[in-house]
Amino acid sequence: MKRLLLTGMCMLWLSYNIGAQAFVRAGMVTFQPNVDEVILNVTTRSFPSYYIGGGLEAKILKIFLLEIGANYYDINVDVESGSATEKLDGAMVGLPVLLKINPVKYFNAGVGLMPSTFINSNTLENLYYKKYNVSGTAKIEVKPIRQISIELAYTLGFIPSEVVWRDSQGAEEILKSNQSFYNLGLKYNF
């Protein structure tokens, strides 16, 4: 608890000294595993889930913004193999860093990188992820109210994650997968 409180106080002090604005965000995310369904003889179906996060946003020059943050993404994908359906139900933690352009008061768009890692992802018996990843992110924000933004983002993994497939006889095959996801949510600036 002390560590969390100390980290929070350091972030507030840093944001005050560099003129950054703190924010929190939450919304829906749809994860796409992008595995080769023909080779695996499976079908994947993604369901909307949630994400939450927060961070800092600092103005650079006149129309540029730098955004750094930390996000937690819930993953909810069904994998159908023949008549059996299993869930890829886990989570991912990402640390997005974006450079955004703010040409008008109520709109901004940006691109950046997001290192991430999967956590709690071994819940599916035949298919699971094993790696860290670095993703590219593109985002658009519309600000209908002064402190609230609606954000839409697309993220695509650069480093292929290792997908371990186990068949019914227990033989393993490692496949590569560049996962992607879409998220739509609200961001509140303090």
Side-chain angles (χ1 to χ4, degrees):
M1 184 66 180
K2 280 184 175 181
R3 184 178 284 170
L4 182 61
L5 183 60
L6 184 60
T7 302
M9 291 185 64
C10 286
M11 287 190 68
L12 285 173
W13 178 81
L14 180 65
S15 68
Y16 177 76
N17 285 323
I18 63 172
Q21 193 170 25
F23 64 84
V24 293
R25 63 168 48 116
M28 295 184 332
V29 62
T30 302
F31 182 80
Q32 303 290 326
N34 297 332
V35 294
D36 191 335
E37 296 178 355
V38 175
I39 290 176
L40 295 179
N41 195 23
V42 298
T43 304
T44 60
R45 187 174 52 225
S46 299
F47 296 99
S49 195
Y50 70 92
Y51 73 96
I52 57 173
L56 296 173
E57 187 174 75
K59 194 163 207 125
I60 302 173
L61 300 173
K62 205 168 196 165
I63 62 169
F64 291 104
L65 300 168
L66 178 66
E67 178 185 302
I68 59 170
N71 298 332
Y72 173 87
Y73 301 92
D74 186 56
I75 297 169
N76 191 0
V77 179
D78 276 356
V79 179
E80 296 176 6
S81 177
S83 62
T85 300
E86 299 181 62
K87 285 196 174 295
L88 174 60
D89 189 14
M92 186 175 76
V93 174
L95 305 170
V97 177
L98 290 110
L99 181 61
K100 301 189 299 187
I101 187 166
N102 186 222
V104 293
K105 189 175 183 178
Y106 302 108
F107 173 82
N108 65 53
V111 294
L113 295 175
M114 184 175 74
S116 61
T117 186
F118 286 95
I119 55 176
N120 302 331
S121 62
N122 295 342
T123 57
L124 184 64
E125 189 174 309
N126 292 334
L127 186 69
Y128 65 93
Y129 287 88
K130 287 177 53 171
K131 238 182 178 186
Y132 296 98
N133 198 0
V134 175
S135 304
T137 301
K139 180 162 91 168
I140 296 172
E141 286 183 34
V142 177
K143 212 179 254 196
I145 302 172
R146 181 181 169 109
Q147 291 180 301
I148 297 177
S149 301
I150 300 169
E151 56 183 15
L152 174 65
Y154 174 72
T155 304
L156 175 65
F158 291 145
I159 300 172
S161 295
E162 291 180 356
V163 179
V164 177
W165 171 255
R166 290 188 187 99
D167 63 14
S168 58
Q169 286 81 27
E172 287 188 0
E173 183 177 354
I174 296 178
L175 304 170
K176 302 294 182 182
S177 165
N178 288 62
Q179 76 275 352
S180 63
F181 55 92
Y182 301 91
N183 53 297
L184 173 66
L186 295 175
K187 179 171 130 181
Y188 178 79
N189 292 315
F190 293 103

